[in-house]
Amino acid sequence: MNNVKRPSYQSIQAAAKVLDETGRHHHWWPSSTPDYERLDEIGKDEFEAIVEQILIAAQQADREYLKRRK
């Protein structure tokens, strides 16, 4: 992970809610898909794992960008 800190659970949840709301607004997944808050435990864990990877990738990209600027 290149010394990247794992995002807090609160950050993951906040980002998951934004991703879910944005995805619904743009019809990225079927309307029959339960919203983030109503996912079963496994679905919520999987969605949060995806969001965590996105946040980590963003953090890594920021670090790489800052390294290149030096």
Side-chain angles (χ1 to χ4, degrees):
M1 260 201 243
N2 297 342
N3 294 329
V4 176
K5 278 178 56 177
R6 288 185 71 185
S8 70
Y9 186 61
Q10 292 78 14
S11 294
I12 293 169
Q13 285 182 318
K17 289 174 186 175
V18 170
L19 178 60
D20 181 56
E21 290 170 10
T22 303
R24 289 179 188 291
H25 176 76
H26 292 288
H27 308 287
W28 291 343
W29 36 82
S31 60
S32 61
T33 303
D35 65 9
Y36 167 72
E37 294 293 334
R38 292 186 175 171
L39 289 172
D40 62 25
E41 188 175 332
I42 293 172
K44 207 168 193 179
D45 285 347
E46 290 176 349
F47 195 77
E48 290 169 355
I50 293 167
V51 170
E52 181 179 15
Q53 292 303 309
I54 292 167
L55 293 173
I56 289 170
Q59 200 178 130
Q60 287 173 327
D62 285 346
R63 285 185 180 206
E64 289 300 316
Y65 174 75
L66 292 173
K67 266 188 193 177
R68 287 192 304 267
R69 292 191 65 202
K70 287 183 179 181

